[in-house]
């Protein structure tokens, strides 16, 4: 596991690796005296405790600079056997990394996104340009015959969908609306004949029963 | 020669009698005012002297001493001009008859003098008049320009005067002061509020929350990205606030009278106040204060709304000051000379962005704040302050096609009708408990009036477990559920009421606090 040393998805990746007992390497875009962002210091310690590695090409007194981070990306791809891009906007450091990786002869993997998702523009373009589309772990493992891997049980998504219970009849109208696509309360109000009070009531009941979840995009089905 | 006149001074909204003792004796000519006079009272020397001369009376070149008793309380304002002038004139006339003495003893005199002897209006005339009556006085002489502001007070004879001469003529038996005819004040709110909820497209959830806030007097925090309409919504809140009762009007008008915001044309405040101070406000002007404490924004928002736009931008020390007033509904300002109480029973409506850049959880623009930044930003509002807010509402961006739609939306008048109904229910329920609204419920009253059936209890329990609500949410949810039930016209709180109330606690949920 090898991750970009910034915040967001990379932090999660480091943490995920540590949690399952894996080893992870972090590459900094600054000197060791200037850990950026500050909050990641604890993570940095944790990585070392778990036999991981934190490295940088800069002298300890180098301050974080955006160009450093871009430069650093070549090291990331350089020491990796491949690069998986989770999210990437139209112009972003991630797409730069992917380009470098390709130049270095590494494999580039990407998650597909919906076409109107801004954070999916980069990954979709990568796939168009020949990156390997990834929907499950096996897609990556297959590319590297030397990797040992105990295959998980195949998950049949359709079967799970079927087994799901239907919510209470009274809540079905609204549940079906959310099933189509994530909606905010105001959007639900517009589409249904119920009052805001009633909708709020139903949404809470659905959420408590585990049918929907509130996210930043609105209410989504689980 | 000694003459004594009476006046009323205010300490907060409470008044006390000031007895103005004027003594004229032989000695080196001088004119002295004692009894802790403030600058504005000291200056009355010159106004009184000149006014008396300009009315063609003699200002004796003797030793004149004026004492304002009680002498240990600091006095301010220009209202003592008239009683001082009358005291001096009466004292310089020598022997007084019993009629005059009796009249002066039982009459409160208030008024500022201009140099030609005309009586000018003063601030705070309504509380002065009410307090005079409370303190057992039955006659008051006050400036004619103020007459309109007190014409609705009964139980005290009001004599409006416009000139110093009128009072002297009355005392000398050359004329008679005319009593003000008491009259009913039109309490109907005829003014049209310039904003209406029918102008807000979309935002049904926020509208509903504000309706609940207005109905139950709940504090409310609007959270949303820039341009989502938080301020627009808050500005329209006064249009659905319930009508004020007579007692409420009088209390609010008293505060406004002290600040000099009432006038001949606007003798009484009929609309609930809506105050929206800028975030550069100082602690003193928000809470009240000054050497002689004056009401702050929170008291000017009494029985109305205090709107704090961009809440995290307010200095933290200023926000923390709101804690006690929000709880006690009254603020005590202690200064060296006195401590003063001002009522401040207001609804706090605040707005804020969800993160420094403003676009966290927005569908239309990407937020580029780090999680730590967001947490820091949210933490600018301290827990104790959040504790006192009942409703958290997320205000989302409205899509363009919705802004453009021509659908007919509910008017404020319609919403107000529901709010009024809910308020009447509350007033009846809490008649013997000395509160007006659900928001004021104490834990003890909460137990009495917010009983839950087992179904509602179950929902609340599950919600606490599954949504990770914090414990402080409990009482708030009950209060809000009570209001929702009132809006629904239901005697008891039902399942759906409690469920809706839980939905207004989003800031308590993991979505904001931990995962973010």
């Amino acid at each position: 596991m090898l991750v970009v040393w910034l915040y967001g998805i990379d932090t999660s990746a480091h943490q995920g690796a540590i949690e399952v007992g894996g080893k992870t390497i972090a590459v900094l875009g600054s000197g060791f005296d200037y850990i950026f962002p500050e909050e990641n210091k604890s993570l940095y310690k944790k990585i070392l405790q778990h036999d991981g590695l934190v490295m940088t090409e800069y002298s300890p007194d180098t301050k974080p600079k955006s160009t450093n981070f871009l430069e650093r990306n070549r090291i990331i791809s350089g020491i990796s056997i491949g690069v998986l891009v989770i999210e990437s906007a139209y112009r972003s450091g991630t797409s730069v990394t992917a380009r470098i990786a390709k130049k270095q002869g590494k494999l580039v993997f990407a998650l597909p996104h919906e076409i109107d998702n801004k954070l999916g523009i980069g990954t979709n373009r990568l796939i168009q340009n020949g990156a390997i589309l990834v929907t499950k772990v096996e897609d990556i493992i297959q590319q590297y015959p030397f990797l040992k891997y105990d295959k998980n049980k195949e998950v049949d998504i359709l079967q799970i969908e079927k087994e799901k219970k239907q919510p209470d009849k009274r809540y079905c109208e609204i549940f079906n609306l959310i099933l189509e696509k994530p909606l905010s309360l105001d959007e639900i109000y517009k589409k249904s004949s119920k009052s805001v009070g009633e909708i709020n009531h139903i949404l809470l009941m659905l959420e408590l029963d585990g049918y929907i979840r509130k996210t930043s995009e609105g209410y989504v089905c689980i | 020669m000694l003459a004594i006149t009476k006046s009323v001074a205010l300490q907060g909204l409470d008044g006390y009698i000031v007895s103005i003792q004027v003594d004229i004796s032989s000695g080196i000519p001088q004119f002295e005012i004692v009894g802790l006079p403030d600058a504005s009272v000291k200056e009355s020397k010159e106004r009184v002297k000149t006014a008396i001369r300009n009315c063609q009376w003699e200002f004796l070149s003797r030793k004149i001493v004026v004492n304002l008793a009680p002498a240990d309380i600091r006095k301010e304002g220009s209202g003592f001009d008239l009683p001082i002038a009358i005291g001096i004139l009466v004292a310089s006339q020598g022997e007084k008859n019993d009629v005059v003495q009796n009249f002066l003893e039982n009459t409160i005199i208030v008024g500022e003098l201009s140099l030609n002897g005309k009586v000018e209006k003063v601030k705070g005339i309504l509380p002065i008049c009410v307090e005079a009556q409370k303190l057992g006085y039955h006659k008051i002489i006050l400036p004619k320009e103020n007459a309109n502001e007190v014409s609705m007070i009964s139980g005290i004879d009001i004599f409006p005067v416009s000139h110093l001469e009128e009072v002297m003529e009355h005392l000398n038996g050359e004329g008679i002061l005319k009593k003000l005819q008491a009259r009913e004040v039109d309490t109907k709110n005829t003014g049209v509020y310039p904003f209406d909820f029918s102008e807000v497209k979309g935002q049904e959830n926020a509208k509903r929350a504000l309706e609940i806030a207005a109905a139950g007097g709940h504090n409310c925090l609007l959270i949303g990205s820039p341009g989502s309409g938080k301020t627009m919504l808050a500005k329209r809140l006064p249009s659905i606030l319930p009508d004020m009762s007579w007692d409420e009007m009088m209390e609010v008008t008293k505060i406004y009278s002290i600040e000099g915001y009432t006038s001949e044309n606007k003798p009484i405040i009929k609309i609930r106040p809506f105050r929206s101070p800028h975030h550069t406000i100082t602690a003193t002007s928000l809470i009240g204060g000054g050497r002689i404490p004056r009401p702050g924004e929170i008291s000017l928002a009494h029985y109305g709304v205090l709107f704090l736009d961009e809440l995290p931008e307010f200095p933290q020390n200023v926000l923390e000051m709101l804690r006690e007033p929000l709880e006690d509904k009254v603020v005590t300002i202690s200064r060296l000379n006195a401590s003063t109480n001002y009522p401040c029973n207001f609804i706090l409506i605040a707005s804020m962005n969800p993160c420094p850049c403003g676009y966290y959880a927005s569908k239309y623009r990407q937020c580029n704040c780090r999680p730590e930044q967001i947490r820091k930003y949210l933490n600018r509002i301290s827990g104790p302050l959040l504790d006192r807010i009942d409703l958290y509402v997320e205000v989302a961006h409205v899509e363009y096609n919705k802004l453009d739609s021509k659908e007919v939306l509910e008017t404020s008048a319609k919403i107000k009708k529901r709010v009024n109904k809910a308020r009447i229910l509350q007033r009846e329920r809490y008649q013997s408990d000395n509160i007006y609204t659900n928001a004021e419920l104490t834990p003890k009253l909460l137990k009495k009036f917010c009983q839950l059936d087992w179904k509602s209890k179950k929902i609340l329990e599950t919600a606490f477990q599954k949504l990770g609500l914090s414990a402080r949410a409990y009482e708030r949810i009950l209060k809000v559920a009570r209001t929702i039930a009132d809006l629904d016209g239901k005697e008891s709180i039902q399942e759906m009421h409690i469920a809706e109330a839980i939905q207004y606690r989003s800031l308590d949920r993991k979505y904001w606090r931990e995962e973010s």
Side-chain angles (χ1 to χ4, degrees), chain B residues 51 77 121 153 188 274 402 416 428 453 455 463 493:
Chain B
K121 68 172 183 176
I153 296 175
K188 258 255 163 85
F274 181 82
K402 203 155 186 189
K416 187 171 173 170
E428 280 168 10
D453 53 19
K455 255 185 174 170
I493 300 176

Side-chain angles (χ1 to χ4, degrees), chain B residues 59-198:
Chain B
F59 190 83
L60 294 182
S61 323
R62 302 265 198 87
K63 182 179 176 180
I64 302 176
V65 178
V66 177
N67 178 35
L68 309 174
D72 60 343
I73 306 176
R74 193 162 280 283
K75 291 149 202 97
E76 67 161 353
S78 49
F80 298 118
D81 290 4
L82 187 59
I84 291 175
I86 290 170
I88 291 174
L89 286 172
V90 170
S92 53
Q93 278 173 0
E95 272 311 299
K96 306 182 283 282
N97 61 32
D98 289 349
V99 181
V100 172
Q101 201 150 357
N102 196 8
F103 182 82
L104 290 180
E105 226 160 73
N106 296 310
T107 309
I108 299 294
I109 305 173
V110 186
E112 177 185 321
L113 280 181
S114 64
L115 297 187
N116 59 5
K118 198 173 162 285
V119 179
E120 304 279 357
K121 68 172 183 176
V122 295
K123 283 180 181 177
I125 197 67
L126 180 68
I128 288 177
C129 217
V130 170
E131 290 299 307
Q133 184 223 356
K134 254 197 226 161
L135 291 163
Y137 286 79
H138 300 297
K139 286 179 221 154
I140 183 166
I141 292 176
L142 47 76
K144 199 164 212 160
E145 276 178 71
N146 285 124
N148 228 358
E149 298 168 48
V150 291
S151 56
M152 61 288 192
I153 296 175
S154 51
I156 186 163
D157 292 343
I158 297 165
F159 300 100
V161 294
S162 56
H163 202 277
L164 176 59
E165 276 171 354
E166 285 174 33
V167 188
M168 288 317 292
E169 277 168 12
H170 180 84
L171 290 176
N172 293 336
E174 290 156 7
I176 282 182
L177 284 180
K178 250 206 198 144
K179 207 169 86 181
L180 181 72
Q181 229 31 277
R183 61 184 177 85
E184 287 280 307
V185 171
D186 179 21
T187 55
K188 258 255 163 85
N189 175 15
T190 45
V192 182
Y193 193 72
F195 305 116
D196 195 283
F197 267 109
S198 60

Side-chain angles (χ1 to χ4, degrees), chain B residues 143-415:
Chain B
K144 199 164 212 160
E145 276 178 71
N146 285 124
N148 228 358
E149 298 168 48
V150 291
S151 56
M152 61 288 192
I153 296 175
S154 51
I156 186 163
D157 292 343
I158 297 165
F159 300 100
V161 294
S162 56
H163 202 277
L164 176 59
E165 276 171 354
E166 285 174 33
V167 188
M168 288 317 292
E169 277 168 12
H170 180 84
L171 290 176
N172 293 336
E174 290 156 7
I176 282 182
L177 284 180
K178 250 206 198 144
K179 207 169 86 181
L180 181 72
Q181 229 31 277
R183 61 184 177 85
E184 287 280 307
V185 171
D186 179 21
T187 55
K188 258 255 163 85
N189 175 15
T190 45
V192 182
Y193 193 72
F195 305 116
D196 195 283
F197 267 109
S198 60
E199 295 152 6
V200 183
K201 309 246 159 109
Q203 309 295 19
E204 300 305 329
N205 191 30
K207 280 190 210 169
R208 167 76 176 170
L210 288 177
E211 178 182 335
I212 295 169
H218 300 290
N219 300 324
C220 177
L221 176 61
L222 302 165
I223 309 157
S225 38
S228 56
K230 303 181 294 288
T231 313
M232 188 182 184
L233 283 159
K235 280 220 173 103
R236 278 155 184 77
L237 183 62
S239 67
I240 61 162
L241 287 175
D243 295 323
M244 278 208 274
S245 70
W246 174 249
D247 291 342
E248 285 175 328
M249 278 186 208
M250 285 303 279
E251 247 185 87
V252 175
T253 308
K254 274 193 206 169
I255 298 170
Y256 277 72
S257 175
I258 288 180
E259 283 294 273
Y261 291 155
T262 48
S263 65
E264 239 178 311
N265 304 326
K266 196 179 149 197
I268 188 158
I269 309 290
K270 301 180 207 171
I271 321 168
R272 289 179 188 270
F274 181 82
R275 309 288 301 181
S276 59
H278 188 251
H279 59 69
T280 50
I281 191 171
T282 61
T284 320
S285 41
L286 183 67
I287 304 300
R291 202 161 44 85
I292 290 173
R294 289 185 26 202
E297 286 290 335
I298 56 167
S299 297
L300 291 174
H302 188 46
Y303 289 135
V305 172
L306 178 71
F307 175 48
L308 301 182
D309 208 355
E310 306 300 347
L311 191 67
E313 303 301 329
F314 281 80
Q316 184 137 23
N317 69 316
V318 172
L319 287 183
E320 295 312 309
M321 299 248 172
L322 284 173
R323 274 149 66 166
E324 298 96 330
L326 276 171
E327 203 69 18
D328 305 337
K329 313 283 180 201
V330 65
V331 59
T332 308
I333 304 155
S334 292
R335 290 294 180 270
L336 191 62
N337 293 308
S339 91
T340 307
N341 285 326
Y342 283 113
C344 57
N345 190 352
F346 59 93
I347 302 177
L348 173 69
I349 305 288
S351 82
M352 67 183 281
N353 294 331
C355 66
C357 85
Y359 292 99
Y360 179 72
S362 163
K363 268 189 187 178
Y364 301 94
R365 244 170 96 172
Q366 203 200 324
C367 164
N368 45 28
C369 303
R370 280 180 282 128
E372 295 79 22
Q373 279 182 315
I374 298 176
R375 207 173 308 132
K376 251 187 210 157
Y377 187 77
L378 291 176
N379 281 347
R380 281 200 216 167
I381 319 294
S382 72
L385 188 63
L386 286 178
D387 267 352
R388 289 163 174 83
I389 293 175
D390 298 343
L391 299 156
Y392 302 131
V393 193
E394 287 155 62
V395 185
H397 244 284
V398 178
E399 288 155 68
Y400 176 74
N401 57 17
K402 203 155 186 189
L403 287 177
D404 211 26
S405 74
K406 297 212 168 53
E407 60 180 315
V408 184
L409 294 155
E410 205 173 27
T411 59
S412 290
K414 237 174 160 181
I415 304 175

Side-chain angles (χ1 to χ4, degrees), chain B residues 443-460:
Chain B
K444 199 173 145 204
L445 292 175
L446 213 58
K447 242 183 205 161
K448 190 170 156 197
F449 293 116
C450 301
Q451 288 291 346
L452 296 183
D453 53 19
W454 69 270
K455 255 185 174 170
S456 313
K457 269 187 192 154
K458 187 92 196 138
I459 292 178
L460 201 53

Side-chain angles (χ1 to χ4, degrees), chain A residues 7 37 39 118-119 182 185-187 189-190 196-198 200-201 203-205 207-208 214-217 219, chain B residues 203-205 208 361 363-364 366 370 372 394 399 402 459 463 466-467 496 499-500 502-504 506 509 511:
Chain A
Y7 40 80
E39 290 82 357
K118 275 184 197 156
L119 290 172
L185 198 146
D186 281 334
E187 287 165 330
Y189 173 80
K190 212 179 158 194
V196 178
E198 287 167 318
N200 257 325
H201 168 214
L203 286 175
L204 184 83
M205 298 315 284
E207 191 171 2
L208 291 184
K214 195 177 181 188
T215 69
S216 55
E217 270 173 77
Y219 288 91
Chain B
Q203 309 295 19
E204 300 305 329
N205 191 30
R208 167 76 176 170
K363 268 189 187 178
Y364 301 94
Q366 203 200 324
R370 280 180 282 128
E372 295 79 22
E394 287 155 62
E399 288 155 68
K402 203 155 186 189
I459 292 178
K466 289 210 173 167
L467 304 180
M496 53 183 295
E500 196 187 342
I502 293 170
Q503 292 284 37
Y504 297 115
S506 62
R509 296 171 59 162
Y511 165 59

